[in-house]
Amino acid sequence: MMNMIVPLLGGFIITAAFMPSLIRYFRARHEGQMIREEGPTWHEKKSGTPTMGGLLFIVAILVMTLASSWLLAPHHTLSTTWILLFILVLYGGLGAWDDSIKLFHRQNEGLKAWQKLLGQIVGALILFWVYTHERLPMALHIPGMGNWHMSGWYAIFVIIWLVGFSNAVNLSDGLDGLVSGLASISFAAYGVIAWHQMQMNIAIFCFAVVGSLLGFLIFNHKPAKIFMGDTGSLALGGALAAVSILLHHELSLLWIGLVFVIETASVILQVASFKLTGKRIFLMSPIHHHFEMKGWSEWKIDFTFWGIGLITALTGLWVILPR
């Protein structure tokens, strides 16, 4: 397990060392986040904060995953390593395209929904192809019940999982530092699972993500000096779903990533309630905005949600890992 310090520390150092330069670059070009008009009014002061910080931590993850795999686990550098990096870059690229459109037009509307969805589906199908190439079981692992074989239907599941969780993480990215902390916890949990399964390539990737996000959190906590943008949130969500699939603990993500699930459910319930009854369940969705409207500070919401994420991650590990 000590070997995992290398990708963890390396990702942290690269991100923390180069992020100030990226912030200065974006500020010099006056490239800042456009805040949603329908969001909380006090978020308007965040307008102009540099975004697309996900670009740097994606680079840090790439560098440390490849370097650490070569140094620490040369015999474990399989196609699973490359597919994780591919999903990270593809979904990050979609997010960067989305962010760039918003910055260019000085608005909060980027890619059309179908364009983003198409890219996400393509990535999911390529992941599924690699999954079948590795002869991994096309079955859902249900804790306590074994495997539920799905045959070709597993491809549909992979698409739903990657599209769903990339968008879930994206929806959750509405407060300074919230997703950085939550994703760090989730990837750390899966890094431990991968290590116990002796899937060192996946463990290295997960701990490279954790280190890079902790380095990013230095600049992303309230008051944020830079946001990760869709560049970072889509990449993290897609990669998190891919890791759960490659470790064959897909459904565990519903618990380990419970906060992301709740954030998404709050949006679905809010929209459904308003369309069916004309009434809203929450003061504002996603649910982190509801607590803002109730008077909670961003720090209180962050620590509460991080705490929930830590509890679900630890209990998830307790259930999954052999004792």
Side-chain angles (χ1 to χ4, degrees):
M1 195 67 175
M2 290 297 293
N3 286 345
M4 296 302 108
I5 292 177
V6 175
L8 181 75
L9 189 59
F12 178 87
I13 291 172
I14 292 173
T15 307
F18 289 98
M19 192 60 72
S21 298
L22 185 65
I23 293 172
R24 286 194 296 270
Y25 172 78
F26 282 140
R27 287 198 178 279
R29 293 174 60 89
H30 304 288
E31 293 184 354
Q33 177 73 44
M34 298 295 108
I35 303 301
R36 290 189 312 158
E37 294 179 0
E38 62 271 26
T41 55
W42 52 87
H43 279 206
E44 291 176 3
K45 62 184 178 182
K46 298 183 181 186
S47 185
T49 301
T51 187
M52 294 179 71
L55 285 173
L56 181 55
F57 68 66
I58 287 174
V59 170
I61 294 166
L62 285 169
V63 170
M64 289 315 304
T65 298
L66 293 173
S68 300
S69 295
W70 179 72
L71 289 170
L72 305 174
H75 301 298
H76 289 270
T77 308
L78 307 173
S79 55
T80 48
T81 301
W82 294 105
I83 191 58
L84 285 173
L85 295 178
F86 173 78
I87 292 296
L88 184 79
V89 171
L90 175 64
Y91 280 54
L94 285 172
W97 188 9
D98 194 44
D99 288 332
S100 298
I101 293 172
K102 295 173 185 177
L103 291 172
F104 181 78
H105 293 290
R106 300 292 175 182
Q107 61 184 28
N108 197 253
E109 296 296 330
L111 284 175
K112 292 180 174 60
W114 71 266
Q115 294 172 318
K116 190 183 296 185
L117 179 62
L118 179 61
Q120 291 169 317
I121 291 175
V122 168
L125 289 174
I126 293 174
L127 170 65
F128 177 73
W129 180 83
V130 172
Y131 188 91
T132 55
H133 177 74
E134 290 292 314
R135 300 182 183 278
L136 295 170
M138 286 191 284
L140 287 180
H141 177 72
I142 303 174
M145 298 178 63
N147 294 335
W148 177 32
H149 293 276
M150 300 179 68
S151 188
W153 289 100
Y154 194 76
I156 304 300
F157 171 80
V158 170
I159 292 172
I160 293 171
W161 219 235
L162 263 75
V163 173
F165 273 96
S166 61
N167 288 321
V169 174
N170 183 241
L171 284 172
S172 304
D173 187 30
L175 297 181
D176 297 356
L178 181 57
V179 162
S180 302
L182 287 172
S184 297
I185 294 167
S186 297
F187 275 103
Y190 281 113
V192 172
I193 294 170
W195 183 79
H196 273 270
Q197 290 186 1
M198 297 301 293
Q199 296 206 52
M200 296 306 173
N201 55 324
I202 299 179
I204 285 169
F205 174 83
C206 288
F207 284 108
V209 174
V210 174
S212 301
L213 286 178
L214 292 178
F216 179 68
L217 189 56
I218 296 173
F219 307 93
N220 184 235
H221 70 72
K222 184 176 175 60
K225 298 179 178 66
I226 190 168
F227 301 136
M228 67 173 64
D230 288 359
T231 307
S233 59
L234 288 177
L236 292 173
L240 189 59
V243 165
S244 73
I245 289 169
L246 294 174
L247 291 176
H248 199 41
H249 278 291
E250 306 93 335
L251 297 183
S252 67
L253 187 50
L254 294 174
W255 183 252
I256 291 175
L258 181 63
V259 175
F260 299 129
V261 176
I262 292 172
E263 291 270 32
T264 306
S266 71
V267 174
I268 295 171
L269 290 171
Q270 183 86 322
V271 172
S273 176
F274 186 75
K275 287 188 174 181
L276 292 173
T277 69
K279 297 180 181 179
R280 292 179 171 86
I281 300 173
F282 307 102
L283 296 176
M284 187 177 291
S285 66
I287 200 168
H288 58 257
H289 287 322
H290 171 80
F291 289 108
E292 273 195 290
M293 301 296 285
K294 297 278 284 186
W296 287 30
S297 69
E298 288 193 48
W299 273 118
K300 183 177 180 180
I301 298 170
D302 279 347
F303 278 113
T304 301
F305 283 31
W306 292 344
I308 295 170
L310 183 60
I311 290 170
T312 59
L314 291 175
T315 52
L317 288 176
W318 183 83
V319 170
I320 292 170
L321 298 182
R323 292 182 293 279

